[in-house]
Amino acid sequence: ATGGSADDLAKWKREVDGAIATGQKMVFTDDDVRDSFQSLLAATGDTEEALKRQKAAMDLARGANIPLATATKMLGKLNEENIEVFKKLGITIGEGATEADALAAVQAKFGGQAEAYAKSSAGQFEQTKIQMAELQEGIGSALLPIMGALGVLLATVIVPAITNGLVPGIEAVSTVIGFLVDNAGTLAPV
């Protein structure tokens, strides 16, 4: 269920944060994991069920070499289109199968694939790329207020100072140089 007391909400937040951390260990971005959870929560209406399906979606994504968003969609709601895709992946779901049957079939075929990928060389390389992207995001977030303040400083102090002080000074020097150039022949040598 998604409604509840403040204690329930705090518990679910911890569980979701834990799922994001687990997803990152399984070499998915925090954004991918968060989007997956939100889709599954919308489909199931239940936090615990969404988290259970998300783990299976991670295994399906790695085992079938498909994006987490695609695996999430397939495990969100069982429909004819998903059943056909499951068949192409070697998962046969019988007539009248429930979503629980589909989930069990996915887990039977692909269970543990996300963890196996995370331990592989390719997974470790991908994890490094994700961590570098997260670092860039963190640096960008930290620098954004500084860049904003610098922009305000430029717009309100530095550019007006240049315009009001330096530009007239340059114009005065330019006028003097222009006068000297124009009158170079008429000025007496010293």
Side-chain angles (χ1 to χ4, degrees):
T2 56
S5 69
D7 288 341
D8 289 340
L9 294 175
K11 175 185 166 234
W12 292 324
K13 182 182 182 323
R14 284 191 305 276
E15 289 174 354
V16 171
D17 288 346
I20 290 171
T22 298
Q24 289 176 306
K25 288 177 187 169
M26 299 299 140
V27 197
F28 294 101
T29 67
D30 59 342
D31 292 335
D32 287 342
V33 175
R34 195 174 295 108
D35 292 346
S36 168
F37 171 74
Q38 288 173 343
S39 293
L40 290 168
L41 181 60
T44 64
D46 185 277
T47 303
E48 291 169 10
E49 181 65 20
L51 291 171
K52 179 179 165 186
R53 289 186 189 196
Q54 185 174 53
K55 182 177 181 334
M58 289 179 190
D59 284 333
L60 175 59
R62 290 298 178 219
N65 197 27
I66 59 176
L68 180 58
T70 302
T72 296
K73 182 180 175 189
M74 292 172 64
L75 294 177
K77 289 288 181 188
L78 188 61
N79 59 40
E80 288 301 317
E81 179 184 341
N82 292 348
I83 290 172
E84 289 303 313
V85 174
F86 285 136
K87 283 181 187 175
K88 291 177 184 174
L89 296 174
I91 300 172
T92 304
I93 300 172
E95 192 74 28
T98 66
E99 290 176 354
D101 295 334
L103 187 60
V106 167
Q107 289 171 325
K109 178 150 177 104
F110 294 113
Q113 291 297 305
E115 187 174 352
Y117 179 76
K119 291 178 179 177
S120 71
S121 296
Q124 291 173 2
F125 181 73
E126 183 70 20
Q127 180 65 27
T128 301
K129 286 175 37 182
I130 290 171
Q131 288 172 344
M132 291 303 293
E134 291 295 326
L135 177 63
Q136 288 175 332
E137 187 178 305
I139 290 170
S141 294
L143 289 178
L144 194 56
I146 295 168
M147 296 306 291
L150 181 59
V152 169
L153 179 67
L154 281 168
T156 60
V157 177
I158 296 174
V159 171
I162 291 171
T163 303
N164 297 331
L166 188 58
V167 171
I170 291 172
E171 289 172 349
V173 169
S174 177
T175 302
V176 169
I177 291 172
F179 173 80
L180 292 173
V181 168
D182 291 343
N183 297 301
T186 58
L187 295 175
V190 180

